[in-house]
Amino acid sequence: MSPRNRWTFALLGLIILTLAACQQRAAFSHYEPVSLNGWNREDTVKFTFGPVAESNSFCEILGLRASLDYPFTNLSLIVEQEVMPSGSVRCDTLNLSLIDVDGSPKGKGVNHYQYVIPLNSISLLKGESLLVNVRHNMKREYLPGISDIGLTLEEQP
């Protein structure tokens, strides 16, 4: 292959990689740590997105990172969402299965596992903000092994 063809091939590859990277439409993605020694039921993880510059619809995705120290196969979460300034509120209880029937984590990872939980689609009007609060709803006061809770909002085409 001639040097000119190599440069052309390299430039074409760079353009393709750049275009592929632009296909991700994450408008917001943030993780908040929780104490590995035990996520207290009263410790609410809070996220704020917006105000948005123009009206748009978003897919909401909850992220969870857990270690092998998490003692249960399931996790119950309460997710409260409030759109401001309208004040409309939505509250969901999620019952997540983190371990499959053979005892293997359903998340991806080795010592820490990443779980991705699709939530809802939400439309925000120009100037609106979204407040999301997440807390656990387990009988145990402190949950060991949960390290991070995250929220991603992806623009819908």
Side-chain angles (χ1 to χ4, degrees):
M1 183 181 280
S2 72
R4 181 180 173 160
N5 286 345
R6 280 189 210 140
W7 280 106
T8 304
F9 183 73
L11 182 60
L12 182 60
L14 182 61
I15 290 170
I16 290 171
L17 286 174
T18 303
L19 290 174
C22 292
Q23 295 301 315
Q24 296 178 351
R25 299 171 150 312
F28 177 84
S29 186
H30 182 73
Y31 276 79
E32 283 291 325
V34 296
S35 174
L36 267 177
N37 295 329
W39 180 18
N40 187 328
R41 185 181 305 132
E42 303 302 320
D43 291 340
T44 301
V45 180
K46 300 178 181 199
F47 301 96
T48 303
F49 171 67
V52 295
E54 58 185 60
S55 299
N56 207 340
S57 294
F58 302 91
C59 292
E60 298 174 285
I61 302 165
L62 188 69
L64 170 72
R65 294 180 184 138
S67 72
L68 293 173
D69 294 331
Y70 185 71
F72 304 109
T73 59
N74 295 332
L75 174 63
S76 179
L77 298 174
I78 296 175
V79 180
E80 298 171 333
Q81 304 174 63
E82 183 176 4
V83 176
M84 297 302 290
S86 71
S88 65
V89 176
R90 179 183 180 136
C91 186
D92 294 304
T93 301
L94 305 176
N95 294 305
L96 309 173
S97 174
L98 303 182
I99 307 293
D100 62 21
V101 292
D102 69 359
S104 300
K106 291 182 177 181
K108 294 182 180 180
V110 179
N111 290 327
H112 271 75
Y113 296 90
Q114 174 78 33
Y115 299 88
V116 177
I117 304 104
L119 292 177
N120 307 302
S121 292
I122 189 165
S123 295
L124 297 176
L125 300 175
K126 180 179 178 178
E128 287 186 325
S129 298
L130 179 64
L131 309 174
V132 179
N133 296 322
V134 181
R135 67 182 189 276
H136 79 78
N137 190 34
M138 302 292 282
K139 290 182 181 181
R140 185 184 263 190
E141 186 75 22
Y142 289 91
L143 286 182
I146 305 294
S147 63
D148 302 278
I149 302 294
L151 179 69
T152 300
L153 297 175
E154 294 180 348
E155 293 180 16
Q156 290 184 332

